[in-house]
Amino acid sequence: MPFQRRNILGAGGLVTALACAAAFIASPVQAQTGAYPNHPIRIVVPLPPGGTVDTLGRMLSQLLKENLGQPVIIDNVSGAGGTIGAGVVAKAPPDGYTLLMVYDTFAVNPHVYKKMSF
């Protein structure tokens, strides 16, 4: 007897299953109070003010402020090749309001420093 492929759900059942899946996935979003962001966002730049990364961070903060409608604060926390600023962000609450802006050579820090602060 050859294998026969059967459509178990049918067209209406498939639509119903997809609608239930979409409602299930969207339900946690509805439970949140207020939309993100509902208070200022902090961008930590692990370099001193005036450099390229700081300038790009400030340009990004202006764009985010215009698009999100919340203040975006640049916080320069320099030292130890950026690991001090990264440690500040790593210890911040994981709520999406503290961001880190790094540079390309930041990726070598785990190979340069014996102990990282995060």
Side-chain angles (χ1 to χ4, degrees), residues 20-75:
C20 289
F24 179 74
I25 292 169
S27 63
V29 175
Q30 294 173 353
Q32 294 177 354
T33 57
Y36 177 85
N38 56 15
H39 64 272
I41 297 172
R42 175 184 178 198
I43 298 178
V44 175
V45 177
L47 295 164
T52 304
V53 177
D54 180 61
T55 304
L56 291 173
R58 292 180 191 280
M59 290 169 46
L60 176 66
S61 71
Q62 283 300 111
L63 291 172
L64 288 173
K65 178 182 175 185
E66 293 167 6
N67 289 315
L68 298 176
Q70 286 291 334
V72 180
I73 301 160
I74 298 293
D75 188 6

Side-chain angles (χ1 to χ4, degrees), residues 83 105-116 118:
T83 59
T105 58
F106 183 77
V108 300
N109 283 346
H111 306 288
V112 174
Y113 297 102
K114 289 181 181 179
K115 185 177 179 188
M116 304 283 281
F118 53 93

Side-chain angles (χ1 to χ4, degrees), residues 84-112:
I84 295 174
V88 168
V89 174
K91 292 176 181 121
D95 56 4
Y97 287 93
T98 305
L99 308 174
L100 177 66
M101 183 149 187
V102 296
Y103 46 97
D104 56 351
T105 58
F106 183 77
V108 300
N109 283 346
H111 306 288
V112 174

